Amino acid sequence: MVLQVVAEMWRRCDRCRKVKPVDDFTGAEPSCGSCLAPVTAGSARSTTRASAVTTTRVSSTAASGVGVLLGTPSRDLRGKGDPEVRARRARVRALDRLAERYQEDFDLLLAEERRAEGF
């Protein structure tokens, strides 16, 4: 019962959406007195809201390393990225080295696989 009495002492304004005491409202008016008050030149309220601002911060260490990463082929990067990415790069490098060491065998296997694909 006490909560009901306390709840009856407050209302939400339809314009500013603030919860204010019932004393700020006049009768059954859905808006509070400050929202209904005429706007004077000295206290003009803005009807538009400020747009949301997103700020992106880059640390100096990350910014300094960007130039190095941009000129480097992705397979030559070592120790950068997720473990899965690093494992794929290591596999590609190993396959490249195998293809260089065993060029004849690689060419035969490649020709065989291309025929199987329809090339």
Side-chain angles (χ1 to χ4, degrees), residues 5-116:
V5 172
V6 172
E8 291 173 356
M9 296 172 55
W10 298 89
R11 286 176 53 188
R12 181 179 297 275
C13 176
D14 282 350
R15 287 194 187 171
C16 66
R17 305 300 299 158
K18 293 180 182 177
V19 177
K20 296 186 173 187
V22 176
D23 299 338
D24 289 353
F25 295 86
T26 55
E29 190 68 38
S31 299
C32 64
S34 61
C35 289
L36 294 176
V39 178
T40 60
S43 66
R45 291 187 299 164
S46 174
T47 57
T48 60
R49 291 187 178 184
S51 62
V53 176
T54 303
T55 304
T56 304
R57 295 182 182 174
V58 178
S59 68
S60 61
T61 56
S64 64
V66 170
V68 175
L69 296 178
L70 291 178
T72 306
S74 62
R75 70 174 63 161
D76 293 338
L77 293 175
R78 286 183 168 80
K80 304 282 185 195
D82 293 333
E84 295 86 13
V85 173
R86 295 190 334 237
R88 280 194 302 261
R89 278 196 312 254
R91 179 173 164 70
V92 167
R93 284 193 305 269
L95 288 173
D96 287 346
R97 289 174 58 195
L98 274 173
E100 289 172 4
R101 280 192 191 163
Y102 303 102
Q103 185 67 42
E104 294 171 4
D105 294 337
F106 177 76
D107 289 339
L108 288 172
L109 290 171
L110 182 61
E112 197 176 290
E113 290 300 323
R114 284 186 175 168
R115 274 194 303 274

